[in-house]
Amino acid sequence: MNVVVVNNFDRMSEEAAKLMVAQIRSKPNSVLGLATGSTPLGVYRLLAEYHQRGVDFSSVTTFNLDEYVGLAPAHPQSYRHYMEENLFSKVNVRKENTHVPSGTAPDLQAECERYEQAIRQVGGIDLQLLGIGSNAHIGFNEPGTPFGSTTQVVDLTESTIKDNARFFASPDEVPTQAVSMGIKSIMRAKNIVLIAYGGSKAEAIYAALRGPVTPKVPASVLQLHPSVTFVVDQAAGSKL
Ligand code: PGA
């Protein structure tokens, strides 16, 4: 695994954006796996700038990691809405090539199967961007999620609900379930870039990189992947 420790959030964003742009330049019809949350915001801002300077997203396909159960695409806290706001509306990706699981499908199980099938149909993900939870979750795969899991409906842990409450008016409004790509879906990506910043992620980064590979630490599974780069700022890397 490559581990790159940089000074701050902006440098982390630059490193990750550069890797994503290199992927698009080497394969214009790349399939990108995308993440939400606070961590990728700088990456998406830079990708929008790269687009203004000529990077072409017209043949790119994207798959997001997850979506909250019960939030419609137009809901301001839905991940579809986040992606439209922060990236899709700022680059020339084709709307029909952007995929976010539906959290409001009448049959969520069928939606999970459809999502896996859609990823398979385009030949899999070339580069998956990941954040990490303070509990070391990747996607919404909380501690204990089997490594063999594919896209599924998951229950969010109390700690994740607490972490994400900052985006909602109150913790009671945070959905308690999500549709999330599984650990196996993530591990099938050809390349993975995990980004993290801030001291609240230091323990998770240490456990993921230096601890035993165990479902108790979902991100530790990445030690088994052949092409992973961790890009972390000094605070997130402070325990390494
Ligand atoms: P954050 O979330 O970027 O908002 O910290 C990361 C995650 O939960 O994967």
Side-chain angles (χ1 to χ4, degrees):
M1 284 194 300
N2 300 323
V3 182
V4 183
V5 182
V6 295
N7 280 339
N8 54 40
F9 177 84
D10 288 342
R11 293 282 303 117
M12 175 202 78
S13 306
E14 282 165 25
E15 288 297 321
K18 266 195 247 166
L19 292 169
M20 296 182 78
V21 166
Q23 172 66 45
I24 296 168
R25 286 194 171 128
S26 74
K27 183 184 174 198
N29 63 342
S30 286
V31 181
L32 302 179
L34 299 177
T36 50
S38 311
T39 315
L41 285 172
V43 179
Y44 296 149
R45 203 166 51 235
L46 289 168
L47 289 180
E49 285 177 25
Y50 272 109
H51 170 62
Q52 292 192 338
R53 297 204 302 271
V55 174
D56 180 17
F57 287 74
S58 65
S59 303
V60 167
T61 297
T62 67
F63 284 90
N64 266 81
L65 286 165
D66 42 27
E67 179 60 282
Y68 287 118
V69 166
L71 298 196
H75 190 287
Q77 297 309 332
S78 79
Y79 288 157
R80 164 58 76 176
H81 186 264
Y82 169 107
M83 290 310 304
E84 295 291 342
E85 284 272 299
N86 293 300
L87 184 67
F88 298 158
S89 63
K90 310 257 164 84
V91 296
N92 64 334
V93 66
R94 297 157 70 103
K95 173 110 182 175
E96 64 270 29
N97 291 348
T98 66
H99 303 270
V100 180
S102 167
T104 52
D107 181 346
L108 288 172
Q109 188 49 45
E111 170 62 8
C112 294
E113 285 158 27
R114 184 197 68 76
Y115 204 68
E116 284 289 325
Q117 174 66 19
I119 296 172
R120 261 200 306 276
Q121 241 164 29
V122 296
I125 291 169
D126 292 305
L127 190 158
Q128 174 70 56
L129 181 67
L130 291 179
I132 185 170
S134 57
N135 64 0
H137 73 198
I138 46 176
F140 269 135
N141 296 292
E142 303 285 28
T145 306
F147 285 167
S149 55
T150 54
T151 303
Q152 59 181 346
V153 177
V154 298
D155 294 324
L156 305 186
T157 60
E158 278 306 314
S159 84
T160 295
I161 291 171
K162 214 167 90 210
D163 283 351
N164 289 1
R166 66 190 192 280
F167 298 112
F168 292 83
S170 81
D172 298 345
E173 286 181 28
V174 185
T176 57
Q177 289 189 309
V179 175
S180 178
M181 276 168 56
I183 301 277
K184 191 170 172 184
S185 333
I186 292 170
M187 288 293 279
R188 283 189 189 126
K190 294 172 190 94
N191 303 283
I192 295 177
V193 176
L194 184 146
I195 52 177
Y197 76 99
S200 67
K201 301 291 173 71
E203 197 64 55
I205 289 295
Y206 177 81
L209 284 168
R210 304 279 188 258
V213 176
T214 164
K216 287 186 202 150
V217 180
S220 67
V221 76
L222 300 173
Q223 293 179 32
L224 306 177
H225 193 282
S227 177
V228 181
T229 303
F230 275 59
V231 185
V232 305
D233 79 342
Q234 275 171 352
S238 60
K239 292 197 191 315
L240 295 176

